[in-house]
Amino acid sequence: MLLYVLRHGITQWNKRKKVQGAVDIPLAPEGIELAEKTGEALKDVHFDICFTSPLTRAKQTARCVLGDRKIPVIEDKRIQEIDFGVLEGTQFKDVQGKIISHEMEIFFEDPLKFKRPKNGEDISDILKRTREFWIEKTTDPALTDKTVLISSHGCAVRALLQNIYQDHAHFWHGCVPPNCSINLVEIQDGQARLLEEDKVYA
């Protein structure tokens, strides 16, 4: 099994440094362009199936990458972005790029200490649901010899890949995955290994 784990393209809220989790924000024009470039780079990959977050930005990115391939595209809420609850839509960086939100500073600097916002989730929540997805898909005999596209989000991608990293203390693995980056994972005989990390086709 080959898994192409994809983060969505850039949105207007990404550009404006607004907290964007479960809010359904579409891709910005630049996001569509980058997703299409990613699709062009992967045009020779024979995808058999796609799992996507139900949020528009992830679905749009998947569609740009898949192009006119006629394969099943299945929405799964377990790979949706973390829900920031009452923090959704708030400004977390200033124009100089400095983090101005105490909560979001913790989220990026020490995520395991990020407290669940009202009506939202914390890191343990997203680790739990993405792990359920991971175990289900990587042990599915019907997917053993398949090439799978997984279209998701920055925090959800890192949570999903924690099943390989096994290093919760360094949740971000060095950085938030860039927009439209691919993490290529091979699953063979129950073992997972990363073939490519955070690759961007720009």
Side-chain angles (χ1 to χ4, degrees):
M1 183 189 306
L2 283 176
L3 305 176
Y4 284 76
V5 183
L6 169 69
R7 185 191 175 197
H8 65 79
I10 195 167
T11 70
Q12 293 293 351
W13 278 25
N14 288 146
K15 290 166 60 179
R16 295 172 186 165
K17 307 304 181 189
K18 295 176 78 169
V19 176
Q20 175 184 250
V23 177
D24 201 7
I25 305 298
L27 294 180
E30 303 96 309
I32 293 171
E33 183 180 353
L34 183 54
E36 288 174 345
K37 284 181 181 176
T38 306
E40 178 64 23
L42 300 177
K43 66 182 178 183
D44 296 326
V45 177
H46 178 78
F47 290 111
D48 296 291
I49 192 168
C50 171
F51 298 102
T52 180
S53 155
L55 296 178
T56 300
R57 57 192 184 270
K59 292 191 292 184
Q60 284 180 293
T61 303
R63 183 46 57 205
C64 288
V65 169
L66 292 173
D68 58 5
R69 295 176 182 86
K70 305 300 182 194
I71 67 166
V73 176
I74 299 167
E75 295 180 23
D76 196 311
K77 281 199 74 166
R78 291 173 296 180
I79 55 172
Q80 182 171 302
E81 187 58 299
I82 190 170
D83 189 336
F84 288 106
V86 295
L87 298 177
E88 298 271 359
T90 60
Q91 198 77 28
F92 73 93
K93 282 186 179 179
D94 62 18
V95 290
Q96 281 80 40
K98 183 177 184 296
I99 295 179
I100 55 175
S101 161
H102 177 64
E103 293 93 344
M104 295 307 292
E105 183 175 23
I106 294 170
F107 177 72
F108 289 115
E109 299 297 332
D110 198 356
L112 297 185
K113 292 184 179 175
F114 174 72
K115 295 192 184 310
R116 187 183 291 110
K118 185 179 179 183
N119 302 325
E121 295 179 297
D122 64 13
I123 295 296
S124 67
D125 296 319
I126 196 167
L127 283 168
K128 181 175 183 292
R129 60 177 167 85
T130 53
R131 179 159 177 76
E132 288 173 0
F133 172 88
W134 176 270
I135 292 171
E136 180 184 297
K137 302 311 176 189
T138 59
T139 60
D140 184 348
L143 297 176
T144 300
D145 60 348
K146 304 302 185 191
T147 299
V148 181
L149 180 65
I150 297 173
S151 187
S152 188
H153 307 263
C155 184
V157 165
R158 282 293 185 252
L160 199 61
L161 294 177
Q162 276 294 333
N163 291 284
I164 303 174
Y165 307 146
Q166 296 293 319
D167 186 13
H168 291 182
H170 300 95
F171 176 85
W172 289 113
H173 200 63
C175 68
V176 177
N179 291 104
C180 278
S181 60
I182 288 279
N183 281 270
L184 179 56
V185 180
E186 179 186 60
I187 311 284
Q188 201 165 42
D189 300 323
Q191 299 297 311
R193 67 187 184 107
L194 275 163
L195 303 181
E196 290 179 354
E197 293 192 62
D198 292 350
K199 184 167 183 179
V200 178
Y201 300 90

mmCIF file of all heavy atoms in Angstrom, residues 39-81:
data_model
loop_
_atom_site.group_PDB
_atom_site.id
_atom_site.type_symbol
_atom_site.label_atom_id
_atom_site.label_comp_id
_atom_site.label_asym_id
_atom_site.label_seq_id
_atom_site.Cartn_x
_atom_site.Cartn_y
_atom_site.Cartn_z
ATOM 1 N N GLY A 39 -1.048 18.360 -8.758
ATOM 2 C CA GLY A 39 -1.703 17.378 -9.613
ATOM 3 C C GLY A 39 -0.901 17.079 -10.859
ATOM 4 O O GLY A 39 -0.770 15.916 -11.275
ATOM 5 N N GLU A 40 -0.325 18.113 -11.449
ATOM 6 C CA GLU A 40 0.504 17.921 -12.643
ATOM 7 C C GLU A 40 1.722 17.065 -12.317
ATOM 8 O O GLU A 40 2.096 16.165 -13.083
ATOM 9 C CB GLU A 40 0.940 19.285 -13.188
ATOM 10 C CG GLU A 40 1.845 19.250 -14.396
ATOM 11 C CD GLU A 40 1.203 18.643 -15.648
ATOM 12 O OE1 GLU A 40 -0.046 18.636 -15.738
ATOM 13 O OE2 GLU A 40 1.955 18.169 -16.525
ATOM 14 N N ALA A 41 2.333 17.323 -11.160
ATOM 15 C CA ALA A 41 3.515 16.554 -10.750
ATOM 16 C C ALA A 41 3.178 15.093 -10.480
ATOM 17 O O ALA A 41 4.029 14.207 -10.647
ATOM 18 C CB ALA A 41 4.141 17.179 -9.509
ATOM 19 N N LEU A 42 1.935 14.845 -10.077
ATOM 20 C CA LEU A 42 1.519 13.479 -9.723
ATOM 21 C C LEU A 42 0.625 12.846 -10.798
ATOM 22 O O LEU A 42 -0.041 11.847 -10.536
ATOM 23 C CB LEU A 42 0.770 13.498 -8.378
ATOM 24 C CG LEU A 42 1.556 14.015 -7.167
ATOM 25 C CD1 LEU A 42 0.656 14.044 -5.940
ATOM 26 C CD2 LEU A 42 2.783 13.164 -6.904
ATOM 27 N N LYS A 43 0.650 13.406 -12.006
ATOM 28 C CA LYS A 43 -0.288 12.955 -13.039
ATOM 29 C C LYS A 43 -0.091 11.494 -13.445
ATOM 30 O O LYS A 43 -1.020 10.850 -13.944
ATOM 31 C CB LYS A 43 -0.185 13.859 -14.271
ATOM 32 C CG LYS A 43 1.146 13.774 -14.998
ATOM 33 C CD LYS A 43 1.193 14.735 -16.176
ATOM 34 C CE LYS A 43 2.556 14.666 -16.868
ATOM 35 N NZ LYS A 43 2.644 15.654 -17.966
ATOM 36 N N ASP A 44 1.104 10.962 -13.231
ATOM 37 C CA ASP A 44 1.363 9.573 -13.623
ATOM 38 C C ASP A 44 1.147 8.575 -12.488
ATOM 39 O O ASP A 44 1.373 7.374 -12.665
ATOM 40 C CB ASP A 44 2.790 9.433 -14.172
ATOM 41 C CG ASP A 44 2.988 10.231 -15.454
ATOM 42 O OD1 ASP A 44 2.017 10.342 -16.243
ATOM 43 O OD2 ASP A 44 4.099 10.760 -15.660
ATOM 44 N N VAL A 45 0.737 9.071 -11.323
ATOM 45 C CA VAL A 45 0.462 8.166 -10.195
ATOM 46 C C VAL A 45 -0.917 7.539 -10.397
ATOM 47 O O VAL A 45 -1.904 8.248 -10.625
ATOM 48 C CB VAL A 45 0.509 8.921 -8.843
ATOM 49 C CG1 VAL A 45 0.137 7.981 -7.702
ATOM 50 C CG2 VAL A 45 1.886 9.522 -8.616
ATOM 51 N N HIS A 46 -0.970 6.233 -10.308
ATOM 52 C CA HIS A 46 -2.246 5.532 -10.485
ATOM 53 C C HIS A 46 -2.960 5.406 -9.140
ATOM 54 O O HIS A 46 -2.797 4.416 -8.427
ATOM 55 C CB HIS A 46 -2.019 4.142 -11.095
ATOM 56 C CG HIS A 46 -3.285 3.360 -11.243
ATOM 57 N ND1 HIS A 46 -4.179 3.585 -12.264
ATOM 58 C CD2 HIS A 46 -3.823 2.379 -10.465
ATOM 59 C CE1 HIS A 46 -5.216 2.762 -12.127
ATOM 60 N NE2 HIS A 46 -5.023 2.016 -11.044
ATOM 61 N N PHE A 47 -3.709 6.433 -8.782
ATOM 62 C CA PHE A 47 -4.473 6.379 -7.534
ATOM 63 C C PHE A 47 -5.671 5.449 -7.713
ATOM 64 O O PHE A 47 -6.355 5.475 -8.747
ATOM 65 C CB PHE A 47 -4.967 7.771 -7.127
ATOM 66 C CG PHE A 47 -3.881 8.699 -6.673
ATOM 67 C CD1 PHE A 47 -3.515 9.804 -7.444
ATOM 68 C CD2 PHE A 47 -3.219 8.477 -5.475
ATOM 69 C CE1 PHE A 47 -2.518 10.671 -7.022
ATOM 70 C CE2 PHE A 47 -2.216 9.338 -5.045
ATOM 71 C CZ PHE A 47 -1.865 10.433 -5.823
ATOM 72 N N ASP A 48 -5.927 4.634 -6.683
ATOM 73 C CA ASP A 48 -7.068 3.720 -6.708
ATOM 74 C C ASP A 48 -8.263 4.262 -5.946
ATOM 75 O O ASP A 48 -9.415 3.947 -6.265
ATOM 76 C CB ASP A 48 -6.665 2.371 -6.098
ATOM 77 C CG ASP A 48 -5.589 1.675 -6.902
ATOM 78 O OD1 ASP A 48 -5.893 1.248 -8.025
ATOM 79 O OD2 ASP A 48 -4.442 1.579 -6.413
ATOM 80 N N ILE A 49 -7.990 5.063 -4.928
ATOM 81 C CA ILE A 49 -9.056 5.577 -4.068
ATOM 82 C C ILE A 49 -8.547 6.818 -3.348
ATOM 83 O O ILE A 49 -7.336 6.989 -3.160
ATOM 84 C CB ILE A 49 -9.511 4.497 -3.049
ATOM 85 C CG1 ILE A 49 -10.806 4.895 -2.346
ATOM 86 C CG2 ILE A 49 -8.401 4.160 -2.058
ATOM 87 C CD1 ILE A 49 -11.448 3.755 -1.554
ATOM 88 N N CYS A 50 -9.478 7.687 -2.971
ATOM 89 C CA CYS A 50 -9.120 8.908 -2.225
ATOM 90 C C CYS A 50 -10.016 9.015 -0.997
ATOM 91 O O CYS A 50 -11.232 8.844 -1.089
ATOM 92 C CB CYS A 50 -9.298 10.137 -3.110
ATOM 93 S SG CYS A 50 -9.142 11.724 -2.234
ATOM 94 N N PHE A 51 -9.385 9.305 0.133
ATOM 95 C CA PHE A 51 -10.108 9.670 1.349
ATOM 96 C C PHE A 51 -9.829 11.138 1.617
ATOM 97 O O PHE A 51 -8.677 11.564 1.584
ATOM 98 C CB PHE A 51 -9.663 8.816 2.534
ATOM 99 C CG PHE A 51 -9.938 7.350 2.347
ATOM 100 C CD1 PHE A 51 -8.920 6.486 1.992
ATOM 101 C CD2 PHE A 51 -11.221 6.847 2.505
ATOM 102 C CE1 PHE A 51 -9.167 5.136 1.790
ATOM 103 C CE2 PHE A 51 -11.482 5.497 2.311
ATOM 104 C CZ PHE A 51 -10.453 4.634 1.957
ATOM 105 N N THR A 52 -10.872 11.901 1.872
ATOM 106 C CA THR A 52 -10.697 13.334 2.089
ATOM 107 C C THR A 52 -11.470 13.806 3.309
ATOM 108 O O THR A 52 -12.534 13.270 3.640
ATOM 109 C CB THR A 52 -11.146 14.148 0.853
ATOM 110 O OG1 THR A 52 -10.956 15.551 1.104
ATOM 111 C CG2 THR A 52 -12.601 13.916 0.510
ATOM 112 N N SER A 53 -10.918 14.809 3.966
ATOM 113 C CA SER A 53 -11.686 15.554 4.955
ATOM 114 C C SER A 53 -12.920 16.116 4.263
ATOM 115 O O SER A 53 -12.864 16.479 3.081
ATOM 116 C CB SER A 53 -10.820 16.702 5.493
ATOM 117 O OG SER A 53 -11.619 17.758 5.982
ATOM 118 N N PRO A 54 -14.045 16.218 4.957
ATOM 119 C CA PRO A 54 -15.243 16.782 4.328
ATOM 120 C C PRO A 54 -15.194 18.290 4.125
ATOM 121 O O PRO A 54 -16.090 18.851 3.485
ATOM 122 C CB PRO A 54 -16.371 16.406 5.301
ATOM 123 C CG PRO A 54 -15.727 16.048 6.575
ATOM 124 C CD PRO A 54 -14.314 15.665 6.294
ATOM 125 N N LEU A 55 -14.156 18.971 4.637
ATOM 126 C CA LEU A 55 -14.071 20.418 4.462
ATOM 127 C C LEU A 55 -13.694 20.771 3.029
ATOM 128 O O LEU A 55 -12.885 20.087 2.396
ATOM 129 C CB LEU A 55 -13.070 21.018 5.452
ATOM 130 C CG LEU A 55 -13.456 20.869 6.930
ATOM 131 C CD1 LEU A 55 -12.373 21.451 7.827
ATOM 132 C CD2 LEU A 55 -14.799 21.528 7.229
ATOM 133 N N THR A 56 -14.279 21.858 2.531
ATOM 134 C CA THR A 56 -14.157 22.240 1.124
ATOM 135 C C THR A 56 -12.711 22.344 0.660
ATOM 136 O O THR A 56 -12.360 21.895 -0.430
ATOM 137 C CB THR A 56 -14.885 23.580 0.872
ATOM 138 O OG1 THR A 56 -16.271 23.411 1.201
ATOM 139 C CG2 THR A 56 -14.765 24.016 -0.580
ATOM 140 N N ARG A 57 -11.839 22.943 1.478
ATOM 141 C CA ARG A 57 -10.461 23.166 1.035
ATOM 142 C C ARG A 57 -9.726 21.853 0.776
ATOM 143 O O ARG A 57 -8.912 21.772 -0.139
ATOM 144 C CB ARG A 57 -9.702 24.034 2.042
ATOM 145 C CG ARG A 57 -9.631 23.514 3.474
ATOM 146 C CD ARG A 57 -9.109 24.610 4.397
ATOM 147 N NE ARG A 57 -8.905 24.217 5.779
ATOM 148 C CZ ARG A 57 -9.833 24.300 6.727
ATOM 149 N NH1 ARG A 57 -11.050 24.729 6.428
ATOM 150 N NH2 ARG A 57 -9.549 23.945 7.970
ATOM 151 N N ALA A 58 -10.031 20.827 1.562
ATOM 152 C CA ALA A 58 -9.410 19.517 1.349
ATOM 153 C C ALA A 58 -10.007 18.832 0.120
ATOM 154 O O ALA A 58 -9.284 18.223 -0.678
ATOM 155 C CB ALA A 58 -9.586 18.642 2.579
ATOM 156 N N LYS A 59 -11.317 18.933 -0.047
ATOM 157 C CA LYS A 59 -11.979 18.314 -1.210
ATOM 158 C C LYS A 59 -11.533 18.976 -2.508
ATOM 159 O O LYS A 59 -11.279 18.298 -3.509
ATOM 160 C CB LYS A 59 -13.495 18.393 -1.061
ATOM 161 C CG LYS A 59 -14.042 17.522 0.069
ATOM 162 C CD LYS A 59 -15.553 17.403 0.031
ATOM 163 C CE LYS A 59 -16.248 18.698 0.355
ATOM 164 N NZ LYS A 59 -17.730 18.536 0.406
ATOM 165 N N GLN A 60 -11.430 20.308 -2.494
ATOM 166 C CA GLN A 60 -10.955 21.029 -3.686
ATOM 167 C C GLN A 60 -9.535 20.596 -4.056
ATOM 168 O O GLN A 60 -9.219 20.386 -5.227
ATOM 169 C CB GLN A 60 -10.950 22.539 -3.434
ATOM 170 C CG GLN A 60 -12.298 23.212 -3.474
ATOM 171 C CD GLN A 60 -12.132 24.708 -3.218
ATOM 172 O OE1 GLN A 60 -11.753 25.127 -2.122
ATOM 173 N NE2 GLN A 60 -12.393 25.516 -4.226
ATOM 174 N N THR A 61 -8.678 20.484 -3.051
ATOM 175 C CA THR A 61 -7.283 20.106 -3.286
ATOM 176 C C THR A 61 -7.212 18.700 -3.870
ATOM 177 O O THR A 61 -6.483 18.450 -4.842
ATOM 178 C CB THR A 61 -6.468 20.194 -1.978
ATOM 179 O OG1 THR A 61 -6.577 21.520 -1.445
ATOM 180 C CG2 THR A 61 -4.999 19.882 -2.226
ATOM 181 N N ALA A 62 -7.993 17.780 -3.301
ATOM 182 C CA ALA A 62 -8.027 16.409 -3.818
ATOM 183 C C ALA A 62 -8.471 16.392 -5.274
ATOM 184 O O ALA A 62 -7.878 15.699 -6.112
ATOM 185 C CB ALA A 62 -8.959 15.551 -2.968
ATOM 186 N N ARG A 63 -9.499 17.163 -5.580
ATOM 187 C CA ARG A 63 -10.023 17.168 -6.955
ATOM 188 C C ARG A 63 -8.983 17.731 -7.926
ATOM 189 O O ARG A 63 -8.828 17.205 -9.035
ATOM 190 C CB ARG A 63 -11.317 17.989 -6.992
ATOM 191 C CG ARG A 63 -12.020 18.040 -8.340
ATOM 192 C CD ARG A 63 -12.140 16.705 -9.036
ATOM 193 N NE ARG A 63 -12.817 15.684 -8.257
ATOM 194 C CZ ARG A 63 -12.633 14.387 -8.421
ATOM 195 N NH1 ARG A 63 -11.761 13.943 -9.307
ATOM 196 N NH2 ARG A 63 -13.296 13.510 -7.687
ATOM 197 N N CYS A 64 -8.249 18.762 -7.520
ATOM 198 C CA CYS A 64 -7.194 19.320 -8.376
ATOM 199 C C CYS A 64 -6.093 18.288 -8.616
ATOM 200 O O CYS A 64 -5.542 18.198 -9.721
ATOM 201 C CB CYS A 64 -6.595 20.570 -7.742
ATOM 202 S SG CYS A 64 -7.650 22.028 -7.766
ATOM 203 N N VAL A 65 -5.743 17.542 -7.598
ATOM 204 C CA VAL A 65 -4.678 16.541 -7.727
ATOM 205 C C VAL A 65 -5.147 15.363 -8.576
ATOM 206 O O VAL A 65 -4.406 14.857 -9.420
ATOM 207 C CB VAL A 65 -4.207 16.062 -6.331
ATOM 208 C CG1 VAL A 65 -3.293 14.845 -6.447
ATOM 209 C CG2 VAL A 65 -3.476 17.198 -5.613
ATOM 210 N N LEU A 66 -6.382 14.949 -8.384
ATOM 211 C CA LEU A 66 -6.886 13.780 -9.114
ATOM 212 C C LEU A 66 -7.202 14.093 -10.570
ATOM 213 O O LEU A 66 -7.167 13.196 -11.412
ATOM 214 C CB LEU A 66 -8.136 13.229 -8.418
ATOM 215 C CG LEU A 66 -7.900 12.598 -7.048
ATOM 216 C CD1 LEU A 66 -9.236 12.254 -6.394
ATOM 217 C CD2 LEU A 66 -7.022 11.362 -7.165
ATOM 218 N N GLY A 67 -7.520 15.339 -10.856
ATOM 219 C CA GLY A 67 -7.859 15.688 -12.238
ATOM 220 C C GLY A 67 -9.078 14.915 -12.705
ATOM 221 O O GLY A 67 -10.097 14.872 -12.021
ATOM 222 N N ASP A 68 -8.962 14.274 -13.870
ATOM 223 C CA ASP A 68 -10.132 13.571 -14.419
ATOM 224 C C ASP A 68 -10.138 12.076 -14.103
ATOM 225 O O ASP A 68 -10.866 11.310 -14.712
ATOM 226 C CB ASP A 68 -10.225 13.798 -15.932
ATOM 227 C CG ASP A 68 -8.968 13.342 -16.671
ATOM 228 O OD1 ASP A 68 -8.062 12.766 -16.015
ATOM 229 O OD2 ASP A 68 -8.891 13.568 -17.893
ATOM 230 N N ARG A 69 -9.321 11.642 -13.134
ATOM 231 C CA ARG A 69 -9.361 10.232 -12.724
ATOM 232 C C ARG A 69 -10.743 9.901 -12.160
ATOM 233 O O ARG A 69 -11.277 10.630 -11.341
ATOM 234 C CB ARG A 69 -8.309 9.929 -11.650
ATOM 235 C CG ARG A 69 -6.853 10.065 -12.074
ATOM 236 C CD ARG A 69 -5.985 9.830 -10.839
ATOM 237 N NE ARG A 69 -4.561 9.970 -11.052
ATOM 238 C CZ ARG A 69 -3.877 11.107 -10.998
ATOM 239 N NH1 ARG A 69 -4.530 12.247 -10.810
ATOM 240 N NH2 ARG A 69 -2.576 11.137 -11.154
ATOM 241 N N LYS A 70 -11.275 8.798 -12.579
ATOM 242 C CA LYS A 70 -12.585 8.351 -12.098
ATOM 243 C C LYS A 70 -12.373 7.299 -11.015
ATOM 244 O O LYS A 70 -12.382 6.098 -11.275
ATOM 245 C CB LYS A 70 -13.423 7.767 -13.249
ATOM 246 C CG LYS A 70 -13.607 8.701 -14.430
ATOM 247 C CD LYS A 70 -14.316 9.992 -14.027
ATOM 248 C CE LYS A 70 -14.532 10.887 -15.246
ATOM 249 N NZ LYS A 70 -14.905 12.257 -14.872
ATOM 250 N N ILE A 71 -12.140 7.758 -9.803
ATOM 251 C CA ILE A 71 -11.929 6.844 -8.684
ATOM 252 C C ILE A 71 -12.855 7.247 -7.537
ATOM 253 O O ILE A 71 -13.330 8.378 -7.493
ATOM 254 C CB ILE A 71 -10.461 6.833 -8.202
ATOM 255 C CG1 ILE A 71 -10.073 8.185 -7.577
ATOM 256 C CG2 ILE A 71 -9.506 6.464 -9.337
ATOM 257 C CD1 ILE A 71 -8.777 8.151 -6.794
ATOM 258 N N PRO A 72 -13.102 6.339 -6.594
ATOM 259 C CA PRO A 72 -13.935 6.716 -5.440
ATOM 260 C C PRO A 72 -13.261 7.800 -4.602
ATOM 261 O O PRO A 72 -12.067 7.723 -4.325
ATOM 262 C CB PRO A 72 -14.044 5.410 -4.640
ATOM 263 C CG PRO A 72 -13.692 4.312 -5.602
ATOM 264 C CD PRO A 72 -12.720 4.912 -6.575
ATOM 265 N N VAL A 73 -14.033 8.814 -4.235
ATOM 266 C CA VAL A 73 -13.573 9.873 -3.319
ATOM 267 C C VAL A 73 -14.505 9.832 -2.119
ATOM 268 O O VAL A 73 -15.696 10.115 -2.234
ATOM 269 C CB VAL A 73 -13.600 11.255 -3.992
ATOM 270 C CG1 VAL A 73 -13.205 12.347 -2.997
ATOM 271 C CG2 VAL A 73 -12.676 11.283 -5.210
ATOM 272 N N ILE A 74 -13.953 9.439 -0.976
ATOM 273 C CA ILE A 74 -14.760 9.176 0.211
ATOM 274 C C ILE A 74 -14.429 10.180 1.312
ATOM 275 O O ILE A 74 -13.265 10.330 1.690
ATOM 276 C CB ILE A 74 -14.507 7.741 0.712
ATOM 277 C CG1 ILE A 74 -14.900 6.738 -0.377
ATOM 278 C CG2 ILE A 74 -15.284 7.465 2.001
ATOM 279 C CD1 ILE A 74 -14.424 5.330 -0.128
ATOM 280 N N GLU A 75 -15.441 10.880 1.801
ATOM 281 C CA GLU A 75 -15.250 11.841 2.884
ATOM 282 C C GLU A 75 -15.205 11.111 4.224
ATOM 283 O O GLU A 75 -15.960 10.162 4.454
ATOM 284 C CB GLU A 75 -16.387 12.869 2.888
ATOM 285 C CG GLU A 75 -16.413 13.747 1.651
ATOM 286 C CD GLU A 75 -17.537 14.756 1.672
ATOM 287 O OE1 GLU A 75 -18.029 15.084 2.777
ATOM 288 O OE2 GLU A 75 -17.926 15.240 0.593
ATOM 289 N N ASP A 76 -14.300 11.568 5.094
ATOM 290 C CA ASP A 76 -14.168 10.951 6.410
ATOM 291 C C ASP A 76 -13.840 12.031 7.432
ATOM 292 O O ASP A 76 -12.781 12.663 7.368
ATOM 293 C CB ASP A 76 -13.065 9.882 6.393
ATOM 294 C CG ASP A 76 -13.139 8.952 7.590
ATOM 295 O OD1 ASP A 76 -13.244 9.464 8.724
ATOM 296 O OD2 ASP A 76 -13.071 7.725 7.403
ATOM 297 N N LYS A 77 -14.736 12.253 8.372
ATOM 298 C CA LYS A 77 -14.563 13.330 9.363
ATOM 299 C C LYS A 77 -13.375 13.096 10.286
ATOM 300 O O LYS A 77 -12.881 14.032 10.922
ATOM 301 C CB LYS A 77 -15.831 13.471 10.216
ATOM 302 C CG LYS A 77 -16.943 14.231 9.518
ATOM 303 C CD LYS A 77 -17.969 14.757 10.497
ATOM 304 C CE LYS A 77 -17.406 15.943 11.264
ATOM 305 N NZ LYS A 77 -18.446 16.706 11.985
ATOM 306 N N ARG A 78 -12.903 11.859 10.369
ATOM 307 C CA ARG A 78 -11.784 11.574 11.274
ATOM 308 C C ARG A 78 -10.494 12.245 10.821
ATOM 309 O O ARG A 78 -9.576 12.431 11.619
ATOM 310 C CB ARG A 78 -11.592 10.064 11.397
ATOM 311 C CG ARG A 78 -12.734 9.373 12.137
ATOM 312 C CD ARG A 78 -12.592 7.872 12.102
ATOM 313 N NE ARG A 78 -12.678 7.341 10.752
ATOM 314 C CZ ARG A 78 -12.580 6.051 10.444
ATOM 315 N NH1 ARG A 78 -12.393 5.164 11.405
ATOM 316 N NH2 ARG A 78 -12.672 5.643 9.182
ATOM 317 N N ILE A 79 -10.406 12.625 9.533
ATOM 318 C CA ILE A 79 -9.203 13.312 9.049
ATOM 319 C C ILE A 79 -9.466 14.803 8.809
ATOM 320 O O ILE A 79 -8.697 15.474 8.143
ATOM 321 C CB ILE A 79 -8.606 12.628 7.804
ATOM 322 C CG1 ILE A 79 -9.639 12.476 6.681
ATOM 323 C CG2 ILE A 79 -8.003 11.279 8.181
ATOM 324 C CD1 ILE A 79 -9.046 11.988 5.368
ATOM 325 N N GLN A 80 -10.570 15.294 9.372
ATOM 326 C CA GLN A 80 -10.855 16.730 9.343
ATOM 327 C C GLN A 80 -9.902 17.439 10.303
ATOM 328 O O GLN A 80 -9.373 16.839 11.233
ATOM 329 C CB GLN A 80 -12.312 16.954 9.757
ATOM 330 C CG GLN A 80 -12.767 18.393 9.731
ATOM 331 C CD GLN A 80 -14.271 18.504 9.929
ATOM 332 O OE1 GLN A 80 -15.037 17.944 9.160
ATOM 333 N NE2 GLN A 80 -14.685 19.212 10.962
ATOM 334 N N GLU A 81 -9.704 18.743 10.071
ATOM 335 C CA GLU A 81 -8.801 19.516 10.931
ATOM 336 C C GLU A 81 -9.324 19.603 12.360
ATOM 337 O O GLU A 81 -10.533 19.462 12.607
ATOM 338 C CB GLU A 81 -8.605 20.925 10.342
ATOM 339 C CG GLU A 81 -7.557 21.767 11.058
ATOM 340 C CD GLU A 81 -6.169 21.132 11.100
ATOM 341 O OE1 GLU A 81 -6.023 20.042 11.680
ATOM 342 O OE2 GLU A 81 -5.226 21.759 10.576
#
